[in-house]
Every structure is written in structure tokens, then in C-alpha cells.
Amino acid sequence: MRWFPLVLGLSIFTCTSPYYLTLVSPGITSETRLTKQTDVRMEEASFYGLWAYSHTAFYIDKSELPKVLEDPNNTVFQPQEMFHSKNNHDSHLHILFEYCYDKTKQINIESDLSQYQFQLNGRDSVDTLVFLYPYSYSKKGKLFRKRFPFYERLTYPNEKILITTGFDQLFCVRTLLSFDQTIENQGLNRFTVTTPRNQHLFYVYEMREKFVKFKEEEIN
């Protein structure tokens, strides 16, 4: 019983700590998010679905890149070989941009995703890899909240049901971007997304020898 106050204290600290983090998918945690300077844009939200739309960006550490590329949840719009080839490009820095949409809306998602533009510190990306990423979700009223990656099955040749974390899916599009590492600043870096509706989404992150991790975690 004498351990109970200590355990309770640790539990409270964990739940209230600003360093609490969420596993987003293999190789990505919430502490690698870029700081969002623009919230949900109304025109984008109207296009993708007012309640389901969200946008997020993550900094992908080189050591974690293989986990991102080998995630069995990835559904490709491009040849599978491109996932393998990216493992060899560790001279670049990588940012992953993700937006989620209401799958019931009539959207030509493949045509739409090809019209996005991305810049880091005013410079274009040198390479992109775009894929669909499903999540299970919870829904309170009309508000969606992502819960876990769906992880429906293992990849070929060991294809089989692995684990299902929900009975329905929230669909998100992920764009893995490669940038020339020389354009990254020590200090503040600015990542800009221009949508097909010509709206601008802004993010920033700090580099102090290494990526300064995101600290303002929202506890779900």
C-alpha cells in the first residue's frame, strides 16, 4: 500500500505531462509534428468534409524512415517499388504531410492530390511519394477523432489479417516529401503547403543540431 501514492502520482504526472505523446504510426509520434500556424481552412474543410477534414505535418528522422516506408497500412497510388527506392535516399531530409477527408464526398482524390505544392524555406521538394492511409476513428456527434492506424493486413507474401482497430475507416492522404538537406536552417524552418484551391497552410519547426520536438500534446 505504501507504493500506492507514488503510483498514483506518476499516473497523474503522465496524464498531465506536456511530454505525453501519441503513436501515430510506425516511425511517427506526435512529438515529431511541425507546429501548425494555420488551423482548418474553411474552403478546404467544405471541399473535404467539414467534420472529417484535418491536416498535419511530421518531421521524419532518417532512422525512422524505414518504419514509415514499410508500414503495412500504406496503400499506394504509385508503384510499390518507389517505397523501397526511398530507403536508399538518406542524404535528404523528409517531411510527411497528411490530410484527412470524408470518404462519402464525391472527390476525385487522385486528381486532387496531384495539384498540391510543397516548399521548405521557399524551396520545392525534390521528390514525393503519395499514398492513402486509413485510420479507425471515434465519433462524438459529428466530430471525428483519429484513433489508431487501421492495420488491416500484412503485406505480400505474408498477406493475412493482422489486427483491426475499428469497424470503419477514416481516410487520409499522406505525402512523403524529400528536400535537399542544405536548405534546412539551424533555427526556424518554414514549411508551406499550397492546396488545389490555392489556399496556403503554414508550419514551422526548429532545428538545434537536431529536430526540436513538439511539446504541446493534446491528450485524446
Side-chain angles (χ1 to χ4, degrees), residues 2-206:
R2 65 186 180 187
W3 289 103
F4 180 74
L6 175 60
V7 173
L8 179 61
L10 287 172
S11 176
I12 292 171
F13 174 79
T14 301
C15 293
T16 59
S17 170
Y19 301 102
Y20 174 91
L21 59 88
T22 300
L23 177 67
V24 179
S25 64
I28 305 175
T29 59
S30 54
E31 65 183 357
T32 62
R33 280 187 292 172
L34 277 57
T35 301
K36 187 185 299 183
Q37 295 191 303
T38 46
D39 208 341
V40 172
R41 308 295 292 186
M42 287 308 297
E43 190 171 348
E44 296 305 298
S46 297
F47 183 81
Y48 288 118
L50 209 57
W51 304 108
Y53 175 67
S54 65
H55 61 91
T56 319
F58 301 90
Y59 191 91
I60 307 299
D61 187 86
K62 290 182 179 62
S63 64
E64 300 298 318
L65 181 63
K67 295 179 185 176
V68 176
L69 294 171
E70 295 163 13
D71 185 342
N73 232 33
N74 297 339
T75 303
V76 296
F77 291 110
Q78 302 175 37
Q80 185 72 43
E81 289 74 21
M82 292 190 70
F83 278 75
H84 302 303
S85 68
K86 276 199 176 294
N87 266 321
N88 301 320
H89 292 97
D90 58 2
S91 60
H92 294 147
L93 68 91
H94 299 279
I95 292 175
L96 187 141
F97 174 72
E98 175 183 270
Y99 65 88
C100 302
Y101 65 96
D102 183 346
K103 65 183 178 183
T104 65
K105 290 184 73 70
Q106 297 299 308
I107 301 171
N108 185 337
I109 202 68
E110 291 193 52
S111 172
D112 182 74
L113 62 85
S114 67
Q115 299 176 60
Y116 274 81
Q117 299 174 51
F118 306 93
Q119 289 193 325
L120 179 64
N121 297 330
R123 299 282 295 275
D124 294 336
S125 60
V126 295
D127 197 11
T128 61
L129 178 60
V130 188
F131 50 100
L132 191 66
Y133 200 86
Y135 289 88
S136 63
Y137 64 85
S138 61
K139 189 177 180 183
K140 187 175 182 180
K142 291 186 176 181
L143 183 65
F144 286 85
R145 186 179 294 277
K146 288 184 289 186
R147 297 295 297 167
F148 305 103
F150 201 74
Y151 291 131
E152 189 174 31
R153 58 182 70 248
L154 289 170
T155 51
Y156 181 84
N158 300 313
E159 189 169 342
K160 62 180 179 180
I161 297 298
L162 178 63
I163 183 171
T164 300
T165 59
F167 296 104
D168 206 350
Q169 298 177 33
L170 173 65
F171 284 114
C172 300
V173 173
R174 286 183 164 184
T175 303
L176 181 64
L177 299 144
S178 301
F179 291 95
D180 187 328
Q181 199 154 16
T182 62
I183 69 174
E184 187 173 57
N185 299 324
Q186 284 297 313
L188 198 65
N189 292 272
R190 186 176 176 88
F191 175 60
T192 308
V193 181
T194 304
T195 76
R197 267 77 39 202
N198 204 35
Q199 298 213 345
H200 302 288
L201 311 177
F202 300 104
Y203 300 82
V204 295
Y205 71 91
E206 279 191 85

